[in-house]
Amino acid sequence: MGMWSYALAYLAAGLGAGLVTFGAGFGIGKIAAAAMDGTARQPEAGGAIRITMIIAAAMIEGIALFGVVVCFLLASIKP
Amino acid sequence: MGMWSYALAYLAAGLGAGLVTFGAGFGIGKIAAAAMDGTARQPEAGGAIRITMIIAAAMIEGIALFGVVVCFLLASIKP
Amino acid sequence: MGMWSYALAYLAAGLGAGLVTFGAGFGIGKIAAAAMDGTARQPEAGGAIRITMIIAAAMIEGIALFGVVVCFLLASIKP
């Protein structure tokens, strides 16, 4: 019975890494798509839009890196 | 039966980290997309829009960081 | 019963790699589609749009590479 804890830890690491990347990709993708759209509409606001995009994307990046570290921890549990 | 508690704790850590990142990415993504859209329409309001975005995104970030810490705690339980 | 931990580790490695690639492909795809759209609408803003796209895509790439490393770790567990 004891091996199930490792089994589910490994399953959680894989599925968690997938979900984390999906969430980060979805969020940053939406942000950057809007940034590109805005830059095309107002090229002279491109610098301000890029700074705003980097701030928001860095926030999502911070959460996602922490989430992937949790998954890395789960994957490196030794039976 | 006792090992199942560790098993499900690990499973919850991985799935939880994934869901937390998905929620944060979705929310901050929506906020920042609207901010970029607004900056492109009124470039002279870019500074005010950016401050509003940072306040709202920091609120989501606070909840998400707490959620990831809970997942980190679950992942670091030793059997 | 002990073999189940390896079994689920391999299952998680495969599903995780798939989800990671799906998320990264979705996010970078959305970004690049918007970049192309914007360049077509304002060709003179092409350079600024391309720099913005590379920054955002590199952020998603960073998370996705970490996620795939977790899956690689799971796949290389030796029974």
Side-chain angles (χ1 to χ4, degrees), chain A residues 4 10 22 37 40 50 61, chain C residues 1 22 41-42 48 52 59:
Chain A
W4 276 102
Y10 295 149
F22 191 77
D37 209 47
R50 191 181 298 152
E61 191 88 359
Chain C
M1 189 72 82
F22 189 75
R41 234 180 327 159
Q42 295 267 2
T52 308
M59 279 173 164

Side-chain angles (χ1 to χ4, degrees), chain A residues 3-4 6-8 10-11 14-15 17-18 21-22 25-26 28-29 32-33 36-37 39-40 43 50 53 57 61 64-65 68 72 75, chain C residues 1-2 4-5 8-9 12 16 19-20 22-23 26-27 31 34-35 38 41-42 48-49 52-53 56 59-60 63-64 66 74 77:
Chain A
M3 278 295 166
W4 276 102
Y6 301 115
L8 291 190
Y10 295 149
L11 181 66
L15 292 183
T21 310
F22 191 77
F26 186 83
I28 297 180
M36 242 76 82
D37 209 47
T39 304
R50 191 181 298 152
M53 183 197 78
E61 191 88 359
L65 267 182
V68 173
F72 188 82
Chain C
M1 189 72 82
W4 275 101
S5 65
L8 290 190
L19 277 173
V20 164
F22 189 75
F26 186 82
I31 290 172
R41 234 180 327 159
Q42 295 267 2
I49 287 175
T52 308
M53 184 196 78
M59 279 173 164
I60 296 182
I63 292 289
F66 206 157
L74 287 174
I77 291 174

Side-chain angles (χ1 to χ4, degrees), chain C residues 27-55:
Chain C
I28 298 181
K30 196 163 189 167
I31 290 172
M36 243 75 84
D37 209 47
T39 306
R41 234 180 327 159
Q42 295 267 2
E44 71 270 20
I49 287 175
R50 190 180 301 148
I51 293 170
T52 308
M53 184 196 78
I54 290 173
I55 292 171

